[in-house]
Amino acid sequence: MRVVKFFSNDLVKRKTKYFWNNFSSSQFKVNMGVGQGSALSPILFALYLSPFFHILEKHLKNLNLNISILSFIDDSLFLIQSKSFQISNAHIFNSYNVAFNLLSKFGLLVKHSKTEVFHFSRSHGIFNPPPLDLSIIGSPILHPKKTWRYLGFIFNRKLLFCQHIDFYTNKAISTVSV
């Protein structure tokens, strides 16, 4: 918790100003966040969140939630393997709830509108996974997406990468055509 206290104190009483063409704003206080564009931002963010992930993993282990967490700066991913949507959704709900409450204690906000749910499947038939209802904790009801974009990759439910290849092929062709 010393790391958390250090950074929360370090981010207090900061000032900034904006420049746009010939316009320059007066200085004003910035009450939250690490300076955008700073090379230290990702490092400081990771240091600030390391105690959070340690505590989160303990909580999830104590709840017997078999879940893996991947995180890249402020973009995190909960991975759950199950043959049952009900079990998957229950684990996602509980993990999300624990993470949301811990992040709130760390003074961080979760943008529920950016939360997504996605299921991979080996099914050859109709694949219609149920929605994940997070409304009890203030988040919307999440309907599973058919494709998912993460760190520049586009995934579909079968990991065929057709949408990814089509997207970047069209992007390359339009770039060359201009």
Side-chain angles (χ1 to χ4, degrees):
M1 293 307 277
R2 282 191 224 161
V3 173
V4 173
K5 191 171 184 176
F6 168 79
F7 284 110
S8 62
N9 289 337
D10 186 54
L11 299 175
V12 176
K13 296 182 182 176
R14 290 184 30 234
K15 295 180 181 178
T16 192
K17 69 187 312 185
Y18 289 102
F19 296 94
W20 182 264
N21 293 331
N22 294 328
F23 170 77
S24 172
S25 74
S26 56
Q27 269 194 347
F28 57 94
K29 293 179 183 177
V30 180
N31 295 328
M32 67 172 85
V34 177
Q36 179 134 1
S38 167
L40 290 176
S41 293
I43 296 165
L44 294 177
F45 193 80
L47 286 172
Y48 184 80
L49 279 186
S50 66
F52 160 77
F53 282 116
H54 179 72
I55 295 167
L56 177 61
E57 286 178 358
K58 273 187 176 178
H59 278 42
L60 297 178
K61 186 176 181 180
N62 289 340
L63 292 171
N64 290 322
L65 294 174
N66 188 15
I67 185 166
S68 299
I69 303 169
L70 297 177
S71 187
F72 183 76
I73 310 303
D74 64 347
D75 199 352
S76 295
L77 184 63
F78 291 171
L79 299 169
I80 296 160
Q81 291 182 331
S82 175
K83 292 183 179 184
S84 161
F85 289 122
Q86 288 72 25
I87 292 171
S88 290
N89 280 354
H91 285 205
I92 293 169
F93 176 86
N94 290 327
S95 302
Y96 186 87
N97 191 26
V98 170
F100 173 72
N101 288 322
L102 278 174
L103 287 168
S104 296
K105 288 178 182 177
F106 273 69
L108 298 171
L109 301 174
V110 174
K111 291 186 180 177
H112 296 299
S113 61
K114 291 188 172 186
T115 304
E116 300 174 341
V117 65
F118 181 82
H119 296 280
F120 291 107
S121 174
R122 295 183 193 169
S123 172
H124 295 290
I126 296 172
F127 183 70
N128 193 15
L132 175 61
D133 187 359
L134 297 174
S135 62
I136 299 165
I137 55 175
S139 183
I141 295 174
L142 301 177
H143 297 277
K145 298 177 75 170
K146 292 183 180 182
T147 60
W148 167 59
R149 193 172 181 148
Y150 187 69
L151 302 177
F153 289 92
I154 301 169
F155 298 91
N156 68 5
R157 293 176 173 161
K158 303 256 184 232
L159 287 176
L160 297 176
F161 293 97
C162 299
Q163 290 88 349
H164 179 80
I165 293 166
D166 288 345
F167 177 82
Y168 283 104
T169 300
N170 289 329
K171 189 173 181 177
I173 290 169
S174 66
T175 302
V176 172
S177 299
V178 174

